[in-house]
Amino acid sequence: MSSSPRNLRNSTTSSPRFHHHHRHAEHQASNPLLPSSTSAPPPPPLPTHLNESQEKNVLLHAVEIEPFSESSPGLSVPPFSWRKLWKFTGPGFLMSVAFLDPGNLEGDIQSGAIAGYSLLWLLMWATIMGLLVQSLSLRLGVATGRHLAEICREEYPHWATLMLWLMSELALIAADIQEVIGSAIAIKILSNGVLPLWAGVLITAFDCFIFLFLENYGIRKLEAFFAVLITCMAFSFAWMFFDTKPSGKELMKGLVVPKLSSETIPKAVGVVGCVISPYNIFLHSALVQSRKVDLKKKGRVQEALNYFMIEAFIAIFVSFIINLFVTTVFAKGFYGTPEAKTLGLVNAGEYLQQRYGGGLLPILYIWGIGLLAAGQSSTISGTYAGQFIMGGFLDLQIQKWLRSLISRSCAILPIIIVAIVFNRSEELLDVVNEWLNVLQAVQIPFAVVPLLHLVSSEQIMGAFVIGTTLERISWGVATVVILINGYVLVDFFRSEVHGWLFGIVVCLIAASYVAFLFYLIFRGNSLIISWFGRSRFDGFAYIRT
C-alpha cells in the first residue's frame, strides 16, 4: 500500500474490523466487548483503514463475509448458513497440515510398526488435545483481531518477548528441517533416485515463491492449493489403507481400549508430542483474521467463532483419519517383524514395495506422492507462520516477500548440511530426527502457556474470555504435555549426554529453561484465581445471544 499516514487519516473508506493497538487502554476504548474503565479517556475514533505495518505483517480482510451494517446492534447470533460456513472454510485446513507433516508421518510409521494397533486410542485423544489448543488459538485471534505473537509482544517485557521469539524460531526451524527432508525423500522416490536428497532440498526450498505467487491472487487461491495437497494425501494414504486391508476388528479395539506396555511407552510419548506444534499455535491465531468480522458486534464475533470451530473440527478430523490410515498400514504390514525397528521415512516406501509389490500403481509411488504432498504443504505453512512470528514479535517494518525470504533462509543451511550428511550415512538421520523432535518438544510450553494466560484474561478477551471449567481443563492438558515432554528430555539427555563438561553446560541450560517456564506460568495470576478464586461462567461453554 502506498498511501501515506495523512491519506490514511483522511480516507473515507470504512473498515472497522481491524485495529491494531499497543496498549490496553486503547484496545479497551475501541472494542466495546472489552471491560470498560471509568478512568479511561474518551474512546478515540476507529481507524478507517489499515496502516502500512499491518498490511506488511498480516494478510487481512481477504474474504468479506457480508457488508457491515451500522444500524444493526449485532447482539444476536445469526442462524446457521452453509454458504457462510463455506466462506469461513480455509484457515482450519491450512492449520491442519501441521498434523500431517513428515515428522508426524514418521511417528505414525514407528507407532504402527512397533506398537501395532495398540496406540490408536492415544492418537485419537492426542488429536482431541490438539483441537482444544487450536480452538483457543483461533478464539484469541477472532476475539481480539490480533494474533498471538503480536499480543505477546505487548504483554511481556522486551527480554521475555525476545526469548519467546527465539524459542518459536527454533521450533520452526526444527520443523522446517524435517518437512523439507521429507519432501526431498519423496522427490528422490518419485525420480527413481535420479535426484539426490540435496537436490530435493533445493527444489523444496523454493516453495516459498509458490506461496508468495499464490498469495498475490488472494487467500482463497492459497487455501485451494492446500486443499489439493490435502486431497492428494487423503487419496494416497486411503489407497494404501484399502490396498493393504488392515484388520477392522483390531482397528476398533485399538481405538477404544487403552493399552500401554514398557516397549510402547516411548512411542506413546512421541504420538502426543507430535500432535501439538508450537508454530501452528501462532499460525492459527493469525489465519482466522483473513475473514472480515465486525469486532464491535458481539453476535458477529460469536458467529465467526462458531464457524471457525466447525471448520477446525472437520479439518483436524480429516488429519486424524489420514494419520490413522498410515498407522494401521504399517501395523498390518510390519508389526512384530524384524524390520519394525528400522523403519523410517527414507525406507518406508521400499519396505512397502517389498511387502505389497506392484499392482495398478506401485505402492512405492503412492507413498511418495502422499509424502510429497505432506512435505510441500507443511513447508509452505511453516513459511507462512514464520512471517507472523517474526513480524509479530519483532514488529519488523519490512516487505512481506523479504520477511518470507529471511524466515525461509534460516533453515536452508542446516537442511542442506543434514541432506549431505544423510546421503553418506542413512543411520545418522534417526539421530538427527531425535534431536529435532526434542528441540520442538521443549518449545511447546512457550506457545501454550502464553496462549492460556491470554485467553483467560478478561482484560484481553472481554466478553469472550474462557470459562473457569475450560481454563482448568486447558491447564490440565498443558500440564500433561509439559510432563510428557519433560520425560522425553530426561530420557534423551540421560542417554545422549556424556562427559562432565557437557553435563554442566546441559544443566545450566536446563536450569535457565525451567526458570523461564516458571516465570511464564506464574507471571499472571489467572491460574491461581481459576482454582481458588471466583468462577467465570461465561466464555466457551455456550453460544451467546
Side-chain angles (χ1 to χ4, degrees), residues 126 159 271 330 502:
W159 69 269
V271 168
F330 286 90
F502 189 31

Side-chain angles (χ1 to χ4, degrees), residues 8-89:
L8 292 176
R9 288 193 297 268
N10 296 334
S11 171
T12 59
T13 304
S14 176
S15 180
R17 158 72 171 97
F18 281 88
H19 41 280
H20 183 92
H21 300 278
H22 298 277
R23 294 292 182 266
H24 284 309
E26 296 174 357
H27 187 54
Q28 289 172 344
S30 58
N31 190 342
L33 301 183
L34 293 179
S36 59
S37 173
T38 55
S39 60
L46 289 173
T48 57
H49 210 290
L50 297 174
N51 59 39
E52 294 182 27
S53 65
Q54 288 171 341
E55 184 182 0
K56 291 177 182 178
N57 282 338
V58 188
L59 179 62
L60 302 177
H61 289 188
V63 179
E64 182 173 352
I65 304 302
E66 61 185 8
F68 287 177
S69 173
E70 296 295 338
S71 60
S72 172
L75 297 178
S76 61
V77 180
F80 178 81
S81 166
W82 289 103
R83 184 178 65 85
K84 278 191 179 181
L85 178 60
W86 173 249
K87 287 186 176 182
F88 279 104
T89 298

